[in-house]
Amino acid sequence: MISGKFAITIHILTLLHKFPNDYLSSEFIAGSMNLNPVLVRKEIANLKAHHIVESKEGKNGGTKLAVNAAELTLKQIFEMTFETIGLGFAKNQPNPDCPVGKNINQHLENLYSEMNQKVGAQLEGISLEDFSNQF
Amino acid sequence: MISGKFAITIHILTLLHKFPNDYLSSEFIAGSMNLNPVLVRKEIANLKAHHIVESKEGKNGGTKLAVNAAELTLKQIFEMTFETIGLGFAKNQPNPDCPVGKNINQHLENLYSEMNQKVGAQLEGISLEDFSNQF
DNA sequence: CATACTGTAATAAAATATGTTACAAATTTA
DNA sequence: TAAATTTGTAACATATTTTATTACAGTATG
C-alpha cells in the first residue's frame, strides 16, 4: 500500500486526538472514513509498531493515542507511511551504453532527495495537535 | 499514466538536448531507456501539445527541441507531466456527519498545496540545460 | 460462557500503469 | 513513382498495485 496510507493514518490519529479518553474501535474509525475496518486495523498495526498508539483487545477494546499530540509531527507520520515523495524513475533497466540512460536514475534520485528535504522541513513544523485543531 | 511520465519526459528532453542538431526517432530514444517506442511517442505528443518539441514525420523523421534548454525549467516539465505531488486523499466519500470525515480532504488539500509551492520553487530553479549538463 | 473486540492471513476485485499490435498518413530517397 | 522509414493514434492485452472482503483464532469483559 502506498497511496492512501498517509491519509488513512492521519485520519485515524486525528480521531484519536479528538477522543483522548476513549479506546476507539476500528469499526467506529472506519465509519468516519467509510472504509473497511481491516484496512484501519492494518494502519493501526503500523502505528503500534512505531509506539504511537496502544490498543486493547477484547470486548470494549480499541485504540488510543500513546504519545503527546503536540510532539508528534507530520514528518514522523509521513515517514511511517510514505517513505519518500518523488516523480518516478525509469522503470526498466535503461541502456548502460548510453550516458544518459546509464545515469538518469541517479540524477533523479538526487533531485527527489532535495525535494524530500524541503517537504520534510515543512512537515516537521506541523504537529498532530496543530493539524487536529483545525477541525 | 501518472508514474513514469516525468521520468520518461525528462529522459527524452535530455537526449534531445544532447543532440541539438538531429531529429531523433522514437525508436532511438526508446533504446536508451529500454522502453516501447509507442510510450515514447505518447510523451512526445504531450510535449508537442506544449510546443516544447517539434517533430517531422516520414523517413528520417523524428523529434527535436523547439525551445531554449536554458529557459525550460523542471517546474514546467513537472506541470506537464505530474500536476501535483501529495500524500493521498480519503478515497471513499468520508462520513459527512463526522466533523473530521467531513473536512479531512480539504485540510489535506491545503497541506499538499503548500508542499507543491515548496517543490515548485525548487524545480523552478533548475533548467533542462542544468539537468542535462550533469551527464 | 456469550459478546465484542483485535490481529492477521488468504483471497478477490478493482483500478491503474505499462506494453503490444496494427495500420493510416507523411516524407524521403533511390 | 515506388519502396522504405517514420510519426500518430487507436485498440487491445498484460502486469502491477491498491483496495476490499471473508474468515477465523485469540483476548478481554461482564
Side-chain angles (χ1 to χ4, degrees):
Chain A
M1 189 191 294
I2 290 174
S3 154
K5 270 187 92 148
F6 176 85
I8 293 170
T9 297
I10 200 166
H11 197 148
I12 293 170
L13 290 171
T14 300
L15 286 170
L16 295 179
H17 178 248
K18 293 292 182 194
F19 298 92
N21 304 312
D22 299 324
Y23 282 89
L24 302 185
S25 75
S26 62
E27 186 95 19
F28 174 83
I29 295 171
S32 167
M33 51 180 105
N34 187 21
L35 199 70
N36 194 293
V38 175
L39 299 180
V40 172
R41 299 208 283 268
K42 275 183 186 161
E43 294 316 315
I44 284 173
N46 184 35
L47 287 167
K48 279 182 64 176
H50 288 88
H51 309 101
I52 304 300
V53 303
E54 55 179 280
S55 47
K56 210 169 63 172
E57 294 188 27
K59 190 169 176 180
N60 297 332
T63 301
K64 72 195 260 302
L65 261 187
V67 298
N68 183 341
E71 282 164 14
L72 178 64
T73 69
L74 298 198
K75 184 182 184 199
Q76 291 174 273
I77 301 172
F78 164 67
E79 286 170 346
M80 285 188 294
T81 58
F82 216 89
E83 275 113 52
T84 62
I85 57 170
L87 308 176
F89 292 95
K91 190 187 178 190
N92 304 323
Q93 189 57 247
N95 187 339
D97 297 330
C98 169
V100 175
K102 189 163 124 192
N103 297 302
I104 185 83
N105 278 340
Q106 183 60 59
H107 289 310
L108 290 175
E109 174 104 32
N110 296 157
L111 181 68
Y112 303 160
S113 161
E114 199 183 329
M115 280 175 44
N116 276 279
Q117 276 188 296
K118 296 233 191 295
V119 166
Q122 176 198 344
L123 296 178
E124 198 157 26
I126 306 172
S127 70
L128 171 60
E129 188 177 50
D130 296 332
F131 187 80
S132 174
N133 283 342
Q134 294 178 296
F135 291 82
Chain B
M1 189 191 293
I2 289 175
S3 150
K5 270 188 91 148
F6 177 83
I8 293 171
T9 298
I10 201 167
H11 197 147
I12 293 169
L13 289 170
T14 300
L15 285 171
L16 295 180
H17 178 248
K18 293 292 183 193
F19 297 91
N21 304 311
D22 299 325
Y23 282 89
L24 302 186
S25 73
S26 62
E27 187 94 21
F28 174 84
I29 295 170
S32 168
M33 50 181 104
N34 188 18
L35 199 69
N36 193 294
V38 174
L39 299 179
V40 172
R41 299 208 283 268
K42 276 181 186 163
E43 295 315 316
I44 284 172
N46 184 36
L47 288 167
K48 280 183 64 177
H50 289 88
H51 308 102
I52 305 299
V53 303
E54 55 178 280
S55 49
K56 213 169 61 172
E57 294 186 27
K59 190 168 177 181
N60 297 330
T63 301
K64 75 198 257 302
L65 262 187
V67 299
N68 184 339
E71 282 162 14
L72 178 65
T73 70
L74 297 199
K75 185 181 184 202
Q76 290 173 274
I77 299 171
F78 164 66
E79 285 170 347
M80 287 187 294
T81 57
F82 216 89
E83 277 111 51
T84 62
I85 58 170
L87 309 177
F89 292 96
K91 188 184 178 190
N92 304 324
Q93 189 56 249
N95 187 338
D97 298 331
C98 169
V100 175
K102 189 163 124 193
N103 297 303
I104 185 85
N105 277 342
Q106 182 60 57
H107 290 309
L108 289 175
E109 173 103 31
N110 297 156
L111 181 68
Y112 302 160
S113 160
E114 198 183 329
M115 279 176 42
N116 276 279
Q117 276 188 297
K118 296 233 192 294
V119 166
Q122 177 198 345
L123 296 178
E124 198 158 24
I126 305 171
S127 69
L128 169 60
E129 187 178 48
D130 295 332
F131 187 81
S132 174
N133 283 342
Q134 295 178 295
F135 291 83

